[in-house]
Amino acid sequence: MTARPPVVDQDTWRTALEDLRRREKAATRELDAIAAERRRLPMVELPEYVLTGADGPVRLADVFAGKSQLITYHHMWSDGAQWQCGGCTGFTSQFTRLDFLDNYDARFVIVTNGPIDEALAYRDRVGNAMQWYSAAGTGFGADVDAAPGEGFAVNVFMRDGDKVYRTWHTNGRGTEQLSSSFALIDLLPWGRQEEWLDSPAGWPSRPTYSGWLDSPDIARLYGKGSAQ
């Protein structure tokens, strides 16, 4: 039988919850402090890059679509593959509405190192709702720590007229702060149920990533011809 949390009386439960709440609030204050430091980061000017969008070549400065701030998610890519990275596909499928960024003078898009025709076809196949751009044939991916054949990355940029500046970057688990799915799963008593976790004895555990939806799952749920 799979283990479960111990059953206690109401007062014992509330005391344990308040103990944890103090740590949660401390973590929130630390995240606020980190965000304050992020707002004080310097930035570096970038050369002019020309990416490719659905309508053809587009300068990086124009990817901002008139906004002053831009977030990019660099989607891992293998040219010619039917299914791209399941982690990237699942992660970006969360972002079904980004209009709230308009009030913050910002935009969030996907950039990939793959050919734009393949990228747009894949976007439709998996039902992705974001705007996609290709950096194929440019040095943009390598210059923002997401070169062809390498991993995914999040970058943030600021525009001043035609000049673009890089302000922030993360990769690996640093991208989890953008995810709603991990935040929800981590609230559950059994959590992510992955083998690397520090969980009580008897908690369900399985290989890392094995609970994630893969690209074909995303396509079945959200792609063209799905029930959505």
Side-chain angles (χ1 to χ4, degrees), residues 31-98:
L31 289 174
D32 287 343
I34 290 171
E37 185 172 350
R38 186 182 297 117
R39 291 191 293 272
R40 289 166 172 79
L41 281 176
M43 59 187 185
V44 59
E45 184 176 352
L46 298 179
E48 182 173 291
Y49 297 98
V50 177
L51 308 183
T52 307
D55 297 323
V58 55
R59 298 182 310 158
L60 178 60
D62 293 327
V63 174
F64 284 72
K67 308 299 184 185
S68 298
Q69 302 168 105
L70 175 71
I71 304 168
T72 65
Y73 182 86
H74 229 104
H75 197 295
M76 293 175 65
W77 195 265
S78 297
D79 289 356
Q82 178 184 10
W83 300 113
Q84 302 296 335
C85 169
C88 290
T89 303
F91 179 83
T92 57
S93 71
Q94 300 174 89
F95 303 106
T96 58
R97 56 167 296 267
L98 294 166

Side-chain angles (χ1 to χ4, degrees), residues 150-191:
E150 294 184 357
F152 56 93
V154 172
N155 281 278
V156 182
F157 307 93
M158 177 168 277
R159 181 181 65 85
D160 184 5
D162 288 335
K163 292 184 177 180
V164 176
Y165 303 86
R166 189 185 187 198
T167 66
W168 187 77
H169 162 266
T170 194
N171 55 21
R173 293 195 63 202
T175 62
E176 288 184 12
Q177 62 188 292
L178 282 70
S179 171
S180 59
S181 60
F182 289 125
L184 289 172
I185 295 168
D186 284 343
L187 291 177
L188 300 173
W190 286 331

Side-chain angles (χ1 to χ4, degrees), residues 95-174:
F95 303 106
T96 58
R97 56 167 296 267
L98 294 166
D99 47 279
F100 64 89
L101 289 175
D102 291 342
N103 288 339
Y104 295 89
D105 194 18
R107 194 180 189 212
F108 181 23
V109 303
I110 290 178
V111 177
T112 179
N113 293 311
I116 189 62
D117 56 339
E118 288 188 16
L120 295 178
Y122 186 72
R123 179 194 66 183
D124 292 344
R125 187 180 310 134
V126 298
N128 192 282
M130 297 179 69
Q131 294 296 314
W132 286 54
Y133 295 86
S134 169
T138 77
F140 180 67
D143 293 346
V144 297
D145 300 293
E150 294 184 357
F152 56 93
V154 172
N155 281 278
V156 182
F157 307 93
M158 177 168 277
R159 181 181 65 85
D160 184 5
D162 288 335
K163 292 184 177 180
V164 176
Y165 303 86
R166 189 185 187 198
T167 66
W168 187 77
H169 162 266
T170 194
N171 55 21
R173 293 195 63 202

